[in-house]
Amino acid sequence: MASRSGIVFEDFFPSMVDKLGAEGFMKELSNGFQLLVDEDKGLITFESLKRNSKLLGFQDMTDDEARCMLREGDLDGDGALNEMEFCTLMFRLSPGLMMNSKKWLVEAIVSEV
């Protein structure tokens, strides 16, 4: 996928899950959430997303792109992302994770039994 700035997004999430395992990958998503969160509110807000997105290499993110990301992930309608909403959004934005999610679910269930 290419952004308006010409940067191509390569979906590394499936290979991260393969390398880190499901638990390690979820920890990394949690770390990503912590980088973007508004520390006072404990949520990713428009302001915290714009301010901290530079840490992830998205310094050219427009206000409209930031608002769109928040709208896309905001499941409870509060205008911000909690950690669960952020993780869900990251899964939804990763075609590779979506394609492999059933396989990983089956593996997790089998390993628990």
Side-chain angles (χ1 to χ4, degrees):
M1 292 189 282
S3 70
R4 290 186 309 132
S5 62
I7 298 171
V8 176
F9 171 75
E10 187 172 344
D11 187 4
F12 290 108
F13 284 174
S15 61
M16 288 176 69
V17 171
D18 287 340
K19 184 174 183 171
L20 300 172
E23 190 173 319
F25 178 71
M26 291 306 294
K27 175 116 175 79
E28 287 303 310
L29 280 182
S30 179
N31 290 340
F33 175 79
Q34 294 304 319
L35 284 174
L36 298 172
V37 75
D38 176 311
E39 292 183 21
D40 293 332
K41 297 180 180 177
L43 301 168
I44 297 174
T45 64
F46 172 77
E47 294 79 15
S48 71
L49 180 59
K50 285 294 289 182
R51 180 178 55 250
N52 299 323
S53 62
K54 295 174 185 74
L55 297 171
L56 300 175
F58 298 118
Q59 56 272 7
D60 296 329
M61 180 185 292
T62 67
D63 289 356
D64 285 341
E65 289 169 332
R67 284 187 186 99
C68 182
M69 181 179 172
L70 289 172
R71 270 194 310 272
E72 181 74 24
D74 183 14
L75 301 175
D76 61 11
D78 66 356
L81 301 180
N82 61 37
E83 191 167 358
M84 188 272 307
E85 290 170 326
F86 174 76
C87 291
T88 300
L89 178 63
M90 293 300 101
F91 268 84
R92 288 176 51 210
L93 293 177
S94 173
L97 282 180
M98 294 303 291
M99 290 186 326
N100 291 324
S101 61
K102 184 176 180 181
K103 177 185 95 170
W104 293 321
L105 176 62
V106 170
E107 288 174 7
I109 291 171
V110 168
S111 72
E112 290 294 318
V113 175

